[in-house]
Amino acid sequence: MKKTLKRLMIVFLAFACLLCACPAAVADGGSGVSAISETALEETATYNGYDAYCQAYAQAAHPQTEIIVDGGAYKEAAGVQVNAPAAYEGRDNVLIWDNPAGSVTWEVAVEEEGLYCLELGYYPLPGKNGKLEYGLQLNGTVPFTGAEEFCFDRRWKDQRDAAGHFETDYLGNELIPEQVELYTWMADAFSDPEGLYTIPYSFYFHAGLNTVTLTCLKEPAVIGWLRLYQPEELAGYTAPASTEGAPEKYIQKIQAESLSAKSDSSIRPVGDKSDPANEPCDVSKNLLNIVGGDNWAAAGQWVEWEFTVPADGYYQVAFRYRQNAVRGLFTSRHISVDGAVPYQELQSVRFLYGNDWQIRTLGEEEPVLLYLKAGTTHTLRMEVTLGEMAPILRELQNYQQRLNQYYRRIVMITGTSPDLYRDYQLEKEIPDLLNTFQEMEAKLRAQARKLEGISGFSGSEAVLLYRIADQLASFRKSP
């Protein structure tokens, strides 16, 4: 029995390790894997998560209506004093929430009931340099497990001198730069902080007056607005009829470490001498020439570059990257230009595994051409996304939760230190135990095949799934 419990614990830990080791994305001179933290899952069969919430409102409409409520038009505040309505940094009727405590409630008038995405417009205030965190309630209740905490980014950049250079030591080695926060108005949707759902959450609002309550968990901010909306449905890419305008054989190289902004102060440029083609490069000095790696691997983290083009027209975009951390799998990036995703294909762009540096041009069978105008500064953002891995990881998380339930039921019978010479007859005490293990074994093998299908070959993560399935099979043979 001790051996059986030990094997079951190994399975549970293997699930946790697998969820932590599945890839996010790497590009532009780095490599890494996502660190998907363990969530506070309800360990009951009636887990009230977002999937259950969606099923409850599966027949609800998705009204094509936008509703905006100014931050200063709040209904009430509890446990905190706020300044509203107020004016701040170019916006009127905002709510200044400079004490990160308490809760604030707004009323939202909805004409057509249905599911809406919810966006928060905010201006971060100086605090402890962490992400802003809020709990959400709709009409007085938390809509689903996981809505107790949402994170909102700050905006950062690397410190450089007036000429745009990094600070150096007396030997000429470039030093890891200090971080500078860029205070500006920002907007982001309420979405899954772990990236297991690649589109923003949808929330049900009934017709009439609804209430939205935010509870401040960390960091002060100014609340500019709440917006109910529907996400834009992106069209697939079609090649333009004419590509006239852009200069022929034009190449503009933007160094990856030249970020204009980023979501986390932990995303910092580093030096890499693995390839002399990395720029800048010096055999005797350490120069910062790539960005990425483990400090740019968590779902939702993003980086931005600014650039201009010499003429209106269509341009290709390519990245030089190395992704050598997730063997046998790809990593993914969500790519937007000037705040919008131009085509469906850019919602999740794959970066394949390889030990060497590679060139990745946007597009699959044919390059994706982006129309850019001269005379304006464009912004390209790359954001970590789980992409096609997200549905698989959601299923694996559900399996982990379910196996954990059975582990706890077993421990309730045997205790944490079972008697080696006692037969606890678990198959009788827990009648559905063996059937559940059989079901989970089949599901794990199915997910492993899906993983192999989207990656094109077997990787270490698929092998681990097969190994866990084999362990469950051994349980059934000798419980």
Side-chain angles (χ1 to χ4, degrees):
M1 180 54 61
K2 283 186 176 181
K3 185 176 180 181
T4 299
L5 285 177
K6 184 181 294 185
R7 286 186 300 170
L8 187 55
M9 177 55 81
I10 290 173
V11 168
F12 176 68
L13 292 176
F15 257 116
C17 292
L18 180 64
L19 288 172
C20 289
C22 286
V26 172
D28 280 316
S31 60
V33 295
S34 68
I36 304 176
S37 62
E38 290 187 58
T39 56
L41 294 176
E42 292 281 348
E43 295 175 355
T44 65
T46 57
Y47 172 58
N48 188 27
Y50 183 62
D51 285 339
Y53 184 80
C54 290
Q55 291 174 8
Y57 295 104
Q59 303 304 316
H62 294 262
Q64 298 300 314
T65 304
E66 181 181 81
I67 304 171
I68 298 177
V69 178
D70 289 331
Y74 75 106
K75 178 185 178 183
E76 61 182 3
V80 66
Q81 284 191 342
V82 296
N83 182 9
Y88 198 87
E89 293 295 328
R91 291 192 66 90
D92 295 325
N93 201 15
V94 304
L95 181 142
I96 301 177
W97 200 343
D98 53 5
N99 179 16
S103 62
V104 177
T105 298
W106 292 263
E107 286 186 336
V108 182
V110 175
E111 292 186 1
E112 186 177 355
E113 67 172 340
L115 293 168
Y116 295 82
C117 293
L118 182 61
E119 176 189 85
L120 177 68
Y122 62 99
Y123 191 108
L125 295 175
K128 297 181 179 179
N129 298 332
K131 291 180 181 291
L132 282 64
E133 295 184 13
Y134 294 98
L136 175 67
Q137 290 186 4
L138 300 180
N139 296 313
T141 61
V142 177
F144 50 83
T145 302
E148 301 90 349
E149 180 180 328
F150 290 96
C151 297
F152 294 87
D153 296 324
R154 292 178 178 268
R155 192 175 182 88
W156 300 89
K157 71 172 183 178
D158 299 319
Q159 187 175 61
R160 296 170 178 259
D161 62 22
H165 301 138
F166 294 116
E167 183 182 357
T168 60
D169 62 15
Y170 71 98
L171 295 175
N173 299 302
E174 290 183 335
L175 304 176
I176 299 298
E178 295 292 327
Q179 300 302 295
V180 178
E181 184 169 359
L182 301 173
Y183 291 102
T184 185
W185 284 104
M186 303 176 67
D188 204 357
F190 287 79
S191 55
D192 179 24
E194 295 185 332
L196 295 177
Y197 298 87
T198 56
I199 60 175
Y201 285 146
S202 290
F203 301 93
Y204 178 78
F205 289 82
H206 60 71
L209 280 181
N210 296 260
T211 60
V212 175
T213 301
L214 295 183
T215 300
C216 186
L217 305 176
K218 288 183 181 178
E219 299 293 333
V222 179
I223 305 301
W225 65 90
L226 294 170
R227 182 170 76 102
L228 278 62
Y229 71 102
Q230 298 299 333
E232 181 183 0
E233 293 187 9
L234 297 176
Y237 174 74
T238 55
S242 173
T243 59
E244 294 182 1
E248 294 184 4
K249 298 182 179 179
Y250 170 78
I251 295 178
Q252 179 183 172
K253 186 184 295 184
I254 303 171
Q255 298 299 332
E257 68 276 9
S258 301
L259 299 175
S260 60
K262 53 190 177 180
S263 61
D264 289 81
S265 58
S266 61
I267 304 174
R268 303 187 182 188
V270 295
D272 184 278
K273 295 184 178 181
S274 65
D275 191 322
N278 290 340
E279 299 176 1
C281 184
D282 191 295
V283 294
S284 61
K285 300 175 183 178
N286 181 43
L287 302 180
L288 306 180
N289 54 15
I290 69 170
V291 67
D294 293 339
N295 59 12
W296 184 33
Q301 287 185 314
W302 53 264
V303 296
E304 289 182 348
W305 296 269
E306 291 182 346
F307 63 98
T308 59
V309 294
D312 296 356
Y314 288 93
Y315 294 81
Q316 293 184 29
V317 177
F319 303 92
R320 183 171 180 270
Y321 79 99
R322 181 179 63 185
Q323 195 284 96
N324 61 350
V326 189
R327 184 178 180 85
L329 283 173
F330 58 88
T331 56
S332 303
R333 282 290 188 266
H334 177 93
I335 296 178
S336 60
V337 178
D338 298 332
V341 181
Y343 306 108
Q344 193 177 59
E345 289 80 357
L346 302 189
Q347 286 186 312
S348 178
V349 177
R350 292 185 180 188
F351 292 87
L352 303 179
Y353 170 81
N355 286 319
D356 299 325
W357 290 87
Q358 307 176 55
I359 300 295
R360 174 67 160 97
T361 302
L362 291 184
E364 298 301 334
E365 297 180 358
E366 61 175 330
V368 168
L369 300 178
L370 303 177
Y371 186 80
L372 302 170
K373 290 187 175 183
T376 185
T377 298
H378 298 282
T379 301
L380 186 146
R381 174 182 288 196
M382 298 184 71
E383 180 179 332
V384 177
T385 178
L386 297 177
E388 295 168 273
M389 291 291 297
I392 294 177
L393 291 178
R394 288 203 302 270
E395 288 299 315
L396 294 181
Q397 192 178 59
N398 290 336
Y399 300 165
Q400 180 195 20
Q401 175 205 353
R402 195 170 178 190
L403 284 177
N404 190 34
Q405 294 168 9
Y406 279 89
Y407 172 75
R408 292 175 69 87
R409 290 173 67 181
I410 291 173
V411 170
M412 288 174 65
I413 297 171
T414 66
T416 56
S417 299
D419 186 344
L420 183 63
Y421 302 102
R422 178 180 174 182
D423 184 359
Y424 290 93
Q425 297 184 335
L426 292 177
E427 64 274 20
K428 294 181 179 179
E429 295 291 336
I430 310 175
D432 58 342
L433 179 66
L434 299 184
N435 289 336
T436 298
F437 281 178
Q438 183 176 12
E439 176 191 350
M440 297 297 291
E441 176 195 348
K443 288 183 175 181
L444 284 169
R445 296 188 191 280
Q447 294 301 323
R449 289 191 292 269
K450 284 185 181 180
L451 200 57
E452 292 173 336
I454 64 174
S455 65
F457 51 91
S458 179
S460 57
E461 283 74 18
V463 171
L464 180 56
L465 288 180
Y466 283 124
R467 190 174 301 165
I468 297 172
D470 290 340
Q471 284 283 344
L472 291 177
S474 71
F475 294 158
R476 294 190 295 110
K477 292 179 181 178
S478 54

